[in-house]
Every structure is written in C-alpha cells, then in structure tokens.
Amino acid sequence: MYHLECIECDQKYTKSEVIYTCKCGGLLDVIYDYSAIELDVEKLRTEAPSVWKYRALLPIEANPVTIHEGGTPLYRCDRLADKIGIKELYIKHEGLNPSGSFKDRGMTVGVSKGIELGMKTLACASTGNTSASLSTYGAKAGLPVIVLLPEGKVALGKVAQALIHGAKVLSIRGNFDEAVVLVRRLCDEEQIYLLNSINPYRLEGQKTIGHEIIDQLGLNVPDRVIVPVGNAGNVAAIYKGFKEFMKLGITQSVPKMTGIQTEGACPVTKAFKKGAEDIIPEKNPETIATAIRIGNPVNAKKALRAIYESGGNSEAVSDEELVQAQKDLAQLEGIGVEPASATSVAGLKKLVEAGIIGRDETVVCVTTGHLLKDPEEVINISAEPITVDANIEAVRKAVFSK
Ligand code: F0G
C-alpha cells in the first residue's frame, strides 16, 4: 500500500490521482507502510541486481514495461583512486542502462504507472537523456511520445535516440527551464502523462541505484555517494533508496550524499553554500555538460534536504575540471561517460583537495550517462586522428613519430 504526500504540507493524495505537485505547490513523495514490506535478505545476497529485484519497494501492481534496466556494474577503481589520493573508490556506471542513462530506471516505473492510470500519451521536456529514455519506453509500451528539447543544446546521440524510437521531437527556441514550463502546461491541459522528474513515480525507479550500491557492496554502506545534479531528482531519489534499507533494518547508516554541479549552472551548490533550503533560479545557465545545463531545477528542495540530512556536501566544478575527469575515467579505468557524468569524479577530486572529503573514505561516484551520447564533445576536446597513406611505410612512420 502506498499514497502520495506533499513534502511541505503533508497533504495526502491517493495512488489513482494524476497529480505531479501538491495544491500548495510542494513536491510530492511516494509513502509506503514499511512495516508491511519484507525484503528477503538472502535473496538480496544471491540474486543479480535489477530495478525489479526491489519490486516490494516499488509502486506498480501490474506487469511493468521493462527492457532490463538497472543491474549496472559497480567498478572498483584503484588507479583513479590513486590519482585522486583516496583509499577506496567505486564507480556506479549508469551509462550501461538500455538507453544509456539512469533515466531508464525511472522510466520503467513511470511509464508503467502512466499505463495503470489509463494515460494514452506520454511527454517530457529534456536536456536529452530523459527524452531518449521516454522514447524508448514509449515505443516498448506502444504509446505515442512527445519530447520538448532546447534547440541546439542537446547532444547528438540523444536526439538520434528520440528520433529512431518514433517520438514527436519539438525543438524549442528557448532553454530547458522554459521547455519544462511549456510541457507541464501541455500535460495539464491535454490529458498527457508527464514524465519529467517532477513526477514522483520516476524517482521511485531511480532510488534503486541506492539499493543496488548496498547490494553490490555486500550489504555494506559506503561513506559517501557523489552524484551529478541537474534537475536535482536523482540525488534525492538515491538517498531515499539508502534510507529505505535502513528503515527495513538491512543497514544501520546512510552515506553522505554529495551533489555536484558545474560553475555555469549551479543554483543548488550556491544554496548549499549559504545554508539555504531553496535555490535562487539562474537565468542563463551555460556549460559543456548540456545534460545539466539547468538554471531552475524542479527538485531542488528535495535535493538540498537529502544533502543536509545525510551530512553531505555540494560543489561546482569548471568545464575544464569535468573534461579532465572524463579523460581520467576513460584512460585510467576504461569507463566512457558523457560530460555531465564526469562531474561526480571532478567534484570528488576538488573536495579531497579541499580537505572536505577524507582520504580514508570509501566513496561511490555515480556516472549517469554513456560516452556515446555526446560524440561531438569528445571530438572537440580530442586531438584529430592521424591521416596516413595506405602503405606500411607511412603507417610505420606515423606509429613511431613523437
Ligand atoms: N547526468 C545526466 C547524464 C543527465 O542526463 C541528467 C539529467 C543528470 C545527470 C542530472 O540528474 O536531473 O536528476 O539531477 N538530465 C535530464 C534530462 C534533465 O532531461 O535528460 P537530475
């Protein structure tokens, strides 16, 4: 049994209502009766992770729309740990989900819920990954999808995904924050189901990142989990996963949740540094990490609560710092991530150097999207391939030239 509840005024809504925010404007959370939920710890130890392994903690009754989301690897990264100067570092690579980002965890739950609610059309605004994922799950469900993208600011791979899966793709002459306002109005007025992370059911799927990290560490809790922050849903969702395992008596503590933004788009970090509970929206966000080029994150209050409550932190990194982290992941660990994803590692490095993260901590950095999402960025930051004639002398000369 579960219901929706406002995080501001505690107003309750039933699970059969199509609603995204409270009448007071507050964000909604899905509330369960945990005393009625049992997770088999033996099953946790033995069964391979996937979103639907944690079905007892998910708000879906019917058969879900699923294409094997979750169950992503948790890599131990000793070479990267050495370079940064910490004891134990893991990367949770969410880029290895079906559509190449963590959004698939939210979509398998959110789209399944939309079907339960009888919705016939699905929509989102997106910096790219949400649209790629929604288009994928809409196709699997056989439902039409509409996506609103900020013109010229979405990485190529993500646009390609939305197109091939058959979504109606609108390129908005405006930024992501403006697209969010438009899609919310469209969904309210036209009976279309909204699948941005303002939809609390999406975050229920994403909380399984927290469940999986505990599972993969043999039911141990890391000291800290570091997450890129854009629209600010994921950091709060993952924290909820950790809290649930504590409520169910599986663990005894939660990690310090640490949210990383970029210097050009960091309203959450600025609020954290002031000790504020909410953000001041930024008008013209700009960063190479287009996935998190967001000035007015809708879930900021949930994110800030997760960071404060867990004793975590927030920091902003420069584009140069995140590009270096992207190269380090690729060249020291064989992990290919898109620019936004590398902010977690860039933030770790910065906070270790500042003495805020201890060198003896066990840290998990979440990398949220796959390298191939944004091939153009990689080409722009890399040296050009060496063109040679098709003969062995030319090849040998190029191979041994400095
Ligand atoms: N990393 C990647 C690769 C993303 O695509 C996003 C968000 C985030 C991090 C931030 O997660 O919003 O939960 O704080 N992308 C959204 C989109 C906004 O439309 O694809 P968040």
Side-chain angles (χ1 to χ4, degrees), residues 102-103 125-130 176 228-234 291-292 294 338 340-341 368-369:
F102 71 96
K103 309 284 179 178
S126 182
T127 56
N129 281 321
T130 299
F176 169 77
V229 171
N231 220 11
N234 211 25
I292 52 173
I294 297 174
E338 67 164 287
S341 304
T368 42

Side-chain angles (χ1 to χ4, degrees), residues 85-339:
I86 62 162
K87 191 186 73 180
E88 205 172 328
L89 172 62
Y90 297 86
I91 299 292
K92 179 71 172 155
H93 192 17
E94 287 296 298
L96 295 181
N97 274 292
S99 84
S101 84
F102 71 96
K103 309 284 179 178
D104 296 341
R105 293 179 186 267
M107 260 352 137
T108 182
V109 174
V111 170
S112 300
K113 186 68 198 177
I115 292 170
E116 274 188 19
L117 290 167
M119 303 303 281
K120 302 281 184 252
T121 306
L122 314 171
C124 70
S126 182
T127 56
N129 281 321
T130 299
S131 67
S133 182
L134 178 58
S135 306
T136 305
Y137 283 82
K140 180 71 179 170
L143 291 177
V145 170
I146 300 155
V147 305
L148 278 64
L149 308 179
E151 184 185 31
K153 293 292 180 182
V154 178
L156 201 61
K158 305 173 187 180
V159 181
Q161 287 178 289
L163 291 170
I164 195 66
H165 289 299
K168 178 164 273 186
V169 180
L170 307 186
S171 200
I172 303 292
R173 292 194 193 94
N175 64 24
F176 169 77
D177 300 303
E178 292 169 294
V180 167
V181 173
L182 291 168
V183 80
R184 288 185 70 174
R185 181 137 179 224
L186 180 77
C187 288
D188 281 346
E189 293 175 5
E190 303 294 341
Q191 295 291 306
I192 296 172
Y193 198 53
L194 177 64
L195 281 144
N196 280 96
S197 57
I198 192 92
N199 181 331
Y201 294 112
R202 263 235 0 234
L203 299 183
E204 290 305 292
Q206 290 169 212
K207 77 186 177 185
T208 61
I209 296 174
H211 301 153
E212 268 184 27
I213 289 172
I214 299 290
D215 252 12
Q216 290 170 312
L217 290 175
L219 306 188
N220 290 310
V221 182
D223 296 309
R224 187 179 299 268
V225 172
I226 309 184
V227 187
V229 171
N231 220 11
N234 211 25
V235 69
I238 298 172
Y239 181 54
K240 184 173 181 181
F242 290 126
K243 276 208 303 195
E244 286 185 332
F245 268 23
M246 201 165 77
K247 277 187 194 144
L248 292 171
I250 297 164
T251 52
Q252 264 66 57
S253 62
V254 292
K256 295 181 173 72
M257 298 304 299
T258 299
I260 309 298
Q261 301 205 284
T262 61
E263 285 172 357
C266 59
V268 172
T269 303
K270 281 186 191 147
F272 172 79
K273 293 200 171 179
K274 284 192 304 197
E277 284 178 9
D278 202 359
I279 55 150
I280 298 169
E282 290 179 8
K283 279 248 154 26
N284 296 306
E286 202 48 83
T287 165
I288 193 173
T290 51
I292 52 173
R293 183 176 173 271
I294 297 174
N296 191 13
V298 296
N299 285 302
K301 277 192 168 177
K302 278 188 180 174
L304 284 162
R305 281 187 191 188
I307 292 167
Y308 291 131
E309 203 180 291
S310 66
N313 213 289
S314 184
E315 187 54 85
V317 297
S318 67
D319 283 358
E320 293 71 31
E321 287 166 331
L322 73 88
V323 165
Q324 186 56 52
Q326 186 188 25
K327 288 181 180 168
D328 287 345
L329 277 160
Q331 295 171 13
L332 296 176
E333 299 291 349
I335 299 174
V337 306
E338 67 164 287

